[in-house]
Amino acid sequence: MIEAIRDAMDVMMARDGDVVVFGEDVGFFGGVFRATQGLQAKYGKTRCFDAPISELGIVGAAVGMAAYGLKPCIEIQFADYMYPAYDQIVSEAARLRYRSNGQFTCPMVIRMPAGGGIFGGQTHSQSPEALFTHVCGLKTVVPSNPVDAKGLLIAAIEDPDPVIFLEPKRIYNGPFDGHHDRPVVPWSKHELGEVPDGHYAVPLGKAAVRRTGADVTVLAYGTMVHVALAAAEETGVDAEVIDLRTLVPLDLDAITASVGKTGRCVIVHEATQTSGFGAELSALVQETCFYHLEAPVARVTGWDTPYPHAQEWDYFPGPARVGRALLETMEQ
Amino acid sequence: MAIAKKASPIPSASPATNGQGAAPPELGKAVELAAYRQMLLIRRFEEKAGQMYGMGLIGGFCHLYIGQEAVVVGMQMTLKEGDQIITGYRDHGHMLSCGMDPKGVMAELTGRRGGYSKGKGGSMHMFSVEKGFFGGHGIVGAQVSLGTGLAFANHYRGNDNVSLTYFGDGAANQGQVYESFNMAALWKLPVVYLIENNRYAMGTSVNRASAQTDFSKRGLSFNIPGDQVDGMDVRAVKAAGDKAVEWCRSGKGPYILEMMTYRYRGHSMSDPAKYRTREEVEKVRTERDPIEQVRARVIANKWASEDELKKVDAEVRAIVNEAAEFSTNDPEPDVSELYTDIVR
């Protein structure tokens, strides 16, 4: 998936001279996860370069660049490092269009590796998507596979507004279904690992059905799509697994169509539960599908704790917990 | 934009860089031997941690301190009971130098219940009230504001303790560092800002990330004095540290020390270190190694024989092996610990 993300930036830098890529260790080093490797050599130091360790400064500068028509695609090294920049993201990037009566816009992308599963502990594992979806003026994207990652990132760079692009780092090198004790399966063995060449966009706001089913709808994104698929197979529950792909804008039509059919809904995310994005999804399902529901909407999420170092797999909502929720929802 | 890429200078060997303008004062037999033992403990501990990481016993992130030992060991000699220490994520050396138990540190690295944070914190997140160690912080630069607050608490309590606030050349570009400098100078807080300049913020050399690469000058606009110090020479560190700590204790406000140092290993365990040459690392290792410097003086002054130093090494290795064994066999925290220490 790393190559797909790099490819998206490569394609867009080649097509559009206004696309600029920068961040901590992004230029010479090629990024902590090597997402920008080779871009500086190809496009030069004015278009792909290193920034000091100054998240607030990086985002603030990008907002200024975007306001003047550039299209910065910047990297925050880990989503957990975003907090110093949150003021710029919320107060400036997200609000520039509204505040300037549409005269100035902020066409920028902030890429951030997010999520756990790599023993990163509390400062290298968080999933802060709800902190962005709560902010009007931002779009929030979480890809679950290489084909989508490239197409969604291209769409994000082409989007006229600020887009938060959260990359689940656990699936950079292969799909991960939560069975941490099994060997890593590379993307080359997965149908969505075959990334088309050249330019293509996956539109923001369109979910994808990863598994059709009749009994229960599972709403997931990022790594959890693979966990949900594994849980469906392992429990034998005929689940319809929907990969949201973008949280804002949200494909509510796809959700209501599926829940209207199945009458049951399980929401899965890795972030902590309280005020997580699952709460929003649950409320929307209740509001739009109430008369179709045959069971309460269930949530399987990370626990309401900091991301632990030693107890990573106790925290992580793996296929056993998701499977249990599927079975319980079916019993109701 | 033209971003100049200059060769990264290695730490200067010049005694003039100790901020005193002269060769650092000698420490004498007892202090040098103690420094030797402490630095060796850190090095052997870190070598073992590197091995254990390779064996899969330590997961996630692990940032080794090898090469920088003289900084924490020299600074520790300047402190007294009640002083506080706080640092970033490359923290193992700081914890060992302030007397924390190697077993508890290593067990935290392996995520076991005997670790300083019961295994829930990991390499970057450990604390000891008893030793005045306020962490281990994984967010680059965040501890600088906290260290300033520790100094405020000293000021408020009216004691003469000092907050030793460590951060790196990379963290020195974070905005909150300068917010902290302003407050510390404004309120005359007893904090020594210790910038460990090891030349690389992960894979980015200081020249590629910093407009002002002389970090001792970073406090000038706040009227905070600063010295550049040969951080590979424990004598120079001690001398500069004494001066800075005394400045703070006497109520004159903050002080900045830029420790010119060098890390031999990669930023973390997954760093191929392609941003510098093997020769550059070798040159520092052979010409400036902090432990070899002490060793050479010990032998030249006949403070100890080769055999006696070998014995020190054996004792240190035994401590480290014991820590490794403990941290391998100690159980993981009970699942009931998942929800402890969040709020009361």
Side-chain angles (χ1 to χ4, degrees):
Chain A
M1 194 161 90
I2 274 288
E3 293 81 2
I5 288 162
R6 186 189 307 142
D7 196 18
M9 287 184 275
D10 193 353
V11 165
M12 288 310 296
M13 289 175 89
R15 282 170 72 100
D16 186 345
D18 286 338
V19 176
V20 175
V21 170
F22 67 103
E24 292 156 13
D25 281 301
V26 157
F28 179 78
F29 195 73
V32 65
F33 290 104
R34 313 295 185 266
T36 53
Q37 199 160 44
L39 295 180
Q40 185 175 78
K42 190 167 174 182
Y43 296 102
K45 289 179 184 173
T46 55
R47 295 193 62 200
C48 178
F49 54 92
D50 295 312
I53 303 179
S54 318
E55 289 83 10
L56 181 143
I58 291 168
V59 174
V63 173
M65 292 158 76
Y68 200 66
L70 298 184
K71 292 177 185 165
C73 178
I74 61 176
E75 176 178 299
I76 296 294
Q77 198 165 69
F78 286 84
D80 316 67
Y81 299 176
M82 167 282 297
Y83 303 106
Y86 196 58
D87 179 47
Q88 284 290 338
I89 295 172
V90 175
S91 307
E92 305 301 331
R95 304 287 154 74
L96 196 59
R97 179 188 288 277
Y98 185 84
R99 192 155 70 224
S100 69
N101 198 23
Q103 294 182 84
F104 292 106
T105 59
C106 194
M108 65 187 281
V109 178
I110 310 179
R111 294 180 37 249
M112 308 181 201
I118 64 158
F119 285 106
Q122 56 196 270
T123 53
H124 293 75
S125 304
Q126 294 166 86
S127 298
E129 64 271 15
L131 297 177
F132 302 116
T133 59
H134 190 58
V135 178
C136 50
L138 296 177
K139 297 176 182 176
T140 301
V141 179
V142 189
S144 73
N145 62 76
V147 171
D148 276 6
K150 179 175 169 182
L152 287 166
L153 183 51
I154 287 174
I157 294 171
E158 291 177 336
D159 195 273
D161 287 301
V163 179
I164 306 294
F165 196 85
L166 295 166
E167 301 167 5
K169 52 181 152 342
R170 177 65 213 218
I171 57 169
Y172 269 150
N173 297 316
F176 177 65
D177 64 8
H179 287 292
H180 55 90
D181 45 354
R182 296 182 189 167
V184 176
V185 181
W187 278 116
S188 57
K189 293 199 166 35
H190 193 283
E191 58 176 352
L192 293 170
E194 188 78 26
V195 179
D197 289 333
H199 178 279
Y200 67 92
V202 172
L204 307 185
K206 291 297 284 184
V209 177
R210 298 296 176 205
R211 182 190 192 282
T212 51
D215 292 345
V216 53
T217 299
V218 181
L219 303 179
Y221 46 92
T223 309
M224 289 303 137
V225 170
H226 306 282
V227 176
L229 290 169
E233 294 310 315
E234 288 161 22
T235 55
V237 172
D238 189 18
E240 180 146 292
V241 177
I242 296 184
D243 177 355
L244 296 176
R245 301 204 281 203
T246 67
L247 310 186
V248 176
L250 182 69
D251 190 352
L252 190 56
D253 290 345
I255 296 171
T256 52
S258 180
V259 178
K261 178 177 76 173
T262 63
R264 291 178 164 85
C265 182
V266 172
I267 296 158
V268 186
H269 62 62
E270 193 183 327
T272 49
Q273 183 167 90
T274 302
S275 302
F277 192 66
E280 180 64 28
L281 290 172
S282 179
L284 287 169
V285 170
Q286 188 273 133
E287 285 165 18
T288 56
C289 306
F290 184 78
Y291 296 107
H292 296 279
L293 285 173
E294 295 175 33
V297 177
R299 285 182 286 169
V300 187
T301 68
W303 306 116
D304 281 346
T305 76
Y307 214 107
H309 172 67
Q311 298 164 309
E312 176 134 58
W313 304 119
D314 295 315
Y315 175 92
F316 189 90
R321 273 170 64 197
V322 177
R324 207 154 48 235
L326 291 178
L327 293 169
E328 282 169 12
T329 301
M330 288 311 298
E331 282 166 12
Q332 307 234 6
Chain B
M1 187 195 317
I3 299 175
K5 183 169 170 283
K6 292 177 233 159
S8 185
I10 59 169
S12 168
S14 163
T17 57
N18 72 348
Q20 318 272 306
E26 294 301 333
L27 297 176
K29 176 180 172 178
V31 175
E32 290 263 39
L33 282 175
Y36 182 75
R37 180 182 292 268
Q38 271 298 340
M39 287 197 278
L40 205 58
L41 173 66
I42 294 170
R43 181 157 303 180
R44 296 288 177 252
F45 181 96
E46 294 290 65
E47 287 167 352
K48 180 62 80 178
Q51 280 173 18
M52 290 172 68
Y53 194 95
M55 292 159 67
L57 288 162
I58 298 170
F61 294 81
C62 186
H63 310 88
L64 302 181
Y65 197 64
I66 294 174
Q68 302 180 210
E69 296 92 341
V71 177
V72 291
V73 169
M75 285 309 298
Q76 191 64 33
M77 293 173 183
T78 69
L79 300 185
K80 67 169 193 173
E81 188 72 26
D83 291 340
Q84 304 108 336
I85 300 155
I86 188 166
T87 189
Y89 52 84
R90 195 178 304 285
D91 56 354
H92 311 162
H94 304 69
M95 295 186 282
L96 295 174
S97 76
C98 72
M100 287 167 66
D101 184 352
K103 290 208 293 271
V105 178
M106 197 69 98
E108 191 59 40
L109 300 188
T110 56
R112 306 306 170 99
R113 65 177 62 173
Y116 269 98
S117 295
K118 294 181 196 155
K120 291 156 68 177
S123 163
M124 299 176 280
H125 311 117
M126 279 181 256
F127 302 80
S128 169
V129 172
E130 183 199 353
K131 303 295 182 189
F133 183 71
F134 284 76
H137 296 267
I139 297 298
V140 178
Q143 78 277 12
V144 181
S145 305
L146 274 61
T148 307
L150 293 170
F152 185 92
N154 291 331
H155 184 68
Y156 187 84
R157 296 266 184 242
N159 63 36
D160 67 345
N161 282 122
V162 170
S163 156
L164 213 55
T165 299
Y166 287 91
F167 53 106
D169 48 278
N173 291 322
Q174 284 281 30
Q176 61 181 313
V177 169
Y178 300 92
E179 299 178 27
S180 300
F181 282 2
N182 185 43
M183 286 187 261
L186 183 68
W187 298 327
K188 286 202 180 313
L189 304 181
V191 49
V192 180
Y193 293 112
L194 234 130
I195 305 174
E196 294 192 77
N197 180 356
N198 66 15
R199 319 308 300 167
Y200 297 93
M202 211 176 98
T204 300
S205 63
V206 288
N207 305 303
R208 285 191 280 119
S210 293
Q212 170 56 278
T213 57
D214 182 342
F215 293 93
S216 69
K217 292 179 180 163
R218 290 286 184 102
L220 282 185
S221 60
F222 307 97
N223 301 317
I224 303 176
D227 294 329
Q228 249 182 1
V229 184
D230 179 356
M232 305 301 272
D233 182 345
V234 71
R235 301 169 306 174
V237 172
K238 164 85 161 60
D242 278 336
K243 180 179 152 192
V245 166
E246 184 46 41
W247 175 276
C248 294
R249 282 204 210 290
S250 62
K252 292 178 182 155
Y255 206 99
I256 292 172
L257 293 178
E258 178 189 5
M259 294 291 171
M260 309 298 287
T261 185
Y262 199 78
R263 67 167 154 75
Y264 297 173
R265 298 292 185 93
H267 160 77
S268 67
M269 304 307 289
S270 61
D271 173 8
K274 287 184 178 160
Y275 44 82
R276 61 185 182 187
T277 62
R278 200 179 285 272
E279 290 72 37
E280 180 184 303
V281 183
E282 263 321 295
K283 190 171 161 62
V284 183
R285 246 182 207 283
T286 50
E287 295 177 10
R288 304 291 306 143
D289 186 77
I291 299 178
E292 284 305 314
Q293 287 190 47
V294 177
R295 180 189 170 79
R297 287 195 296 272
V298 167
I299 296 295
N301 287 306
K302 297 192 166 50
W303 289 332
S305 66
E306 291 278 1
D307 280 350
E308 284 165 320
L309 291 185
K310 272 188 192 151
K311 194 160 159 269
V312 173
D313 198 6
E315 286 163 10
V316 164
R317 280 179 195 277
I319 293 169
V320 170
N321 286 337
E322 191 191 358
E325 198 167 321
F326 174 75
S327 65
T328 303
N329 298 323
D330 191 42
E332 291 183 7
D334 190 82
V335 72
S336 65
E337 288 289 353
L338 198 57
Y339 264 93
T340 58
D341 295 320
I342 297 170
V343 288
R344 197 163 70 169

